[in-house]
Amino acid sequence: MEVETSPTSKIYMEAWLPRNWTGRFLSTGNGGLGGCIQYPDLVYTTSLGFATVGANNGHNGTSGAAFENHPQVLADFAFRSIHTNVVIGKQITERFYREPYKKSYFFGCSTGGRQGLKSTEDFPEDFDGVVAGAPAANYIGLVTWSGNFFTGITGNSSQATFIPITLWTGLIHDSILSQCDIIDGVNDSIIEDPNTCNYDPSVLLCRDDSTSHCLTETQVETVRKVFSPFLASDSETILYPPAQPGSEGLLLIQKVGGQLFQITSDWFRYVVYNSSFDPTALALADYELAIRMNPFDIATFKGDLVKFRARGGKLLTYHGQADGLISPRMSEVYYSHAKDVSGSLDDFYRFFRISGMSHCSGGPGAWQIGQSSVAGTSFDPDKNVLAAMVQWVEHGLAPETIEGVKFENDDVGEGVAFRRKHCRFPLRNTYDRRGDPTVPESWSCQEV
């Protein structure tokens, strides 16, 4: 159905209403600049008995072109689509089942994660429980950081600063693992806590007239900048935290591959300037302008969760530590900022760092934590973020760990490779240096 949100904007939304309804209402999120309903999430959550709604974020497709000269469409994307979707969705749910829902939940990742945080900040009555994966908090900081890889660090393939993707996937990634994989005590291609990795790329500098399988001085500096914070023109203010070592996968494909990140290009062509603007000419001044503009407070970085806590809401965020699209450090920054603004968080806000998880899913770690309906998913609250939230909201049991599973070649048919419990932040998952590292019992959560 279509719902008008202003005289010049509307959203398209769907409500999926299962026969095995549990009395729970749930709203899904979106991804990227997406005007696409997340149908896999609707399938997953309705199969679990949630009355589930999804919306198109106020426009169709994956481009930001619909925003140009249409501020109300941008308003839908920034905040209004999800809120409207919830208000109407709850009405539809109660009318269909002829009784009120018992509890309401949000479930999303990436842009969906940002939407979940936005709901807790600005619409604290919408949800009893919010599960927000890899949230795109500090949204315009993320957009500008993503663009700066091309315009400020790597350039295109004709420039001396550029590093071919094959060197990122092979030479540099292997070098990072050689320096940092064993820090946690297990050689498993997973950097358990990337904050412990102070990677030094100088070991890759070409020496003795070597010209292959090594880096020039300029390229070594490129690597340093990729893993450094994105700074403002005062050279002190951090606009966005750095990429984490171990995140070379998606990072290198979409951000250091010699092209401008598509979301950055769209944001400047359709929101900041206009479609005739050449985004490859972007400079730091343009990025700082975009951050100051912050239309409809899309940044999602207030950190004020006082009202959400007061009404009894619960927030669970998770972030893959090998995420190359959204720096996992940003989730740590948001958590700390929310603590500064809102006070103690532990009674209503839990954040889990998922080692070896890429963006929302995938990667070498035990990344299957119930964030999707992939084969082998369990609805055990100790092993599933959505089930953990339900248990927290409805029974008052806050999660201390989330156990993830890694299947051989990510194929459930090939059996379990290993399991690992992921700790709530700021605790660090620590190997006991003697047990079998493939079983959760050999690890424990320790103070950093």
Side-chain angles (χ1 to χ4, degrees):
M1 64 180 291
E2 290 186 342
V3 180
E4 186 177 282
T5 54
S6 81
T8 58
S9 61
K10 60 186 177 183
I11 66 169
Y12 172 79
M13 62 173 288
E14 293 187 17
W16 288 27
L17 307 168
R19 293 183 183 275
N20 63 328
W21 188 47
T22 57
R24 299 172 183 135
F25 171 85
L26 183 143
S27 174
T28 59
N30 301 92
L33 292 177
C36 305
I37 293 175
Q38 299 290 86
Y39 286 107
D41 288 346
L42 267 74
V43 172
Y44 177 40
T45 55
T46 52
S47 73
L48 298 171
F50 292 84
T52 303
V53 294
N56 74 340
N57 238 350
H59 67 284
N60 295 319
T62 59
S63 165
F67 302 151
E68 188 174 19
N69 300 320
H70 291 97
Q72 294 305 316
V73 176
L74 182 60
D76 285 342
F77 176 77
F79 72 93
R80 196 166 52 198
S81 175
I82 285 292
H83 179 59
T84 303
N85 186 40
V86 170
V87 172
I88 302 300
K90 288 179 177 179
Q91 294 173 359
I92 292 172
T93 299
E94 294 190 1
R95 185 170 299 180
F96 181 81
Y97 292 109
R98 299 182 181 179
E99 61 178 286
Y101 66 90
K102 296 180 178 66
K103 297 293 181 182
S104 61
Y105 298 90
F106 177 86
F107 185 68
C109 193
S110 194
T111 288
R114 184 196 68 79
Q115 291 167 323
L117 294 183
K118 189 68 170 172
S119 295
T120 62
E121 290 183 348
D122 291 357
F123 304 100
E125 298 296 326
D126 279 1
F127 301 109
D128 297 295
V130 170
V131 178
N138 186 11
Y139 182 76
I140 306 179
L142 168 63
V143 169
T144 55
W145 170 75
S146 300
N148 187 61
F149 284 96
F150 173 74
T151 63
I153 300 177
T154 69
N156 61 40
S157 59
S158 67
Q159 295 175 275
T161 50
F162 181 78
I163 301 173
I165 286 179
T166 53
L167 291 183
W168 281 103
T169 56
L171 179 69
I172 298 171
H173 178 67
D174 291 347
S175 175
I176 288 172
L177 289 181
S178 70
Q179 288 189 28
C180 298
D181 183 9
I182 200 63
I183 290 174
D184 55 31
V186 182
N187 191 357
D188 57 1
S189 299
I190 299 168
I191 303 173
E192 189 65 29
D193 184 353
N195 291 339
T196 64
C197 176
N198 297 310
Y199 175 62
D200 180 6
S202 65
V203 297
L204 300 179
L205 183 64
C206 294
R207 305 178 192 279
D208 300 325
D209 298 323
S210 297
T211 59
S212 63
H213 210 62
C214 59
L215 301 180
T216 66
E217 289 188 10
T218 300
Q219 290 174 324
V220 167
E221 186 60 24
T222 292
V223 176
R224 291 191 196 279
K225 289 180 179 179
V226 163
F227 294 113
S228 298
F230 178 36
L231 299 179
S233 53
D234 62 9
S235 300
E236 295 181 359
T237 303
I238 296 177
L239 300 178
Y240 200 81
Q244 289 285 60
S247 66
E248 299 80 45
L250 281 176
L251 172 70
L252 64 94
I253 294 170
Q254 299 199 37
K255 295 188 177 179
V256 298
Q259 296 180 344
L260 184 64
F261 191 57
Q262 182 258 327
I263 290 177
T264 304
S265 175
D266 279 12
W267 192 258
F268 280 88
R269 293 183 65 218
Y270 304 127
V271 177
V272 179
Y273 298 124
N274 55 62
S275 53
S276 64
F277 176 73
D278 177 9
T280 63
L282 285 167
L284 184 54
D286 300 296
Y287 293 143
E288 292 180 317
L289 170 63
I291 290 171
R292 291 194 301 271
M293 288 175 63
N294 188 24
F296 304 105
D297 193 28
I298 194 172
T300 314
F301 197 66
K302 290 179 181 176
D304 186 351
L305 308 177
V306 173
K307 292 181 180 178
F308 183 69
R309 176 178 58 200
R311 58 92 64 200
K314 309 298 182 188
L315 172 62
L316 186 158
T317 63
Y318 64 89
H319 208 139
Q321 298 302 286
D323 187 342
L325 286 182
I326 299 176
S327 173
R329 286 284 288 277
M330 190 64 241
S331 285
E332 296 180 28
V333 171
Y334 184 89
Y335 184 93
S336 298
H337 177 58
K339 186 175 182 179
D340 290 341
V341 174
S342 305
S344 177
L345 305 177
D346 205 46
D347 60 336
F348 78 102
Y349 181 3
R350 296 290 169 93
F351 163 43
F352 295 89
R353 297 185 296 174
I354 313 300
S355 59
M357 176 193 277
S358 187
H359 185 61
C360 296
S361 63
W367 61 266
Q368 293 195 26
I369 56 171
Q371 78 277 38
S372 63
S373 59
V374 294
T377 297
S378 166
F379 202 61
D380 180 339
D382 292 331
K383 304 174 182 178
N384 184 300
V385 285
L386 181 55
M389 177 55 73
V390 169
Q391 179 173 257
W392 194 7
V393 167
E394 299 180 12
H395 301 287
L397 299 175
E400 294 293 324
T401 61
I402 297 292
E403 182 178 313
V405 60
K406 173 70 173 181
F407 293 104
E408 294 285 357
N409 299 312
D410 289 332
D411 183 348
V412 65
E414 295 188 29
V416 173
F418 62 93
R419 298 181 184 274
R420 190 162 298 172
K421 290 183 179 179
H422 305 290
C423 306
R424 64 177 175 86
F425 186 77
L427 301 180
R428 175 183 295 155
N429 205 17
T430 305
Y431 177 53
D432 66 14
R433 304 277 172 169
R434 59 183 180 276
D436 179 356
T438 67
V439 300
E441 291 75 19
S442 297
W443 299 75
S444 60
C445 298
Q446 304 291 334
E447 296 282 350
V448 175

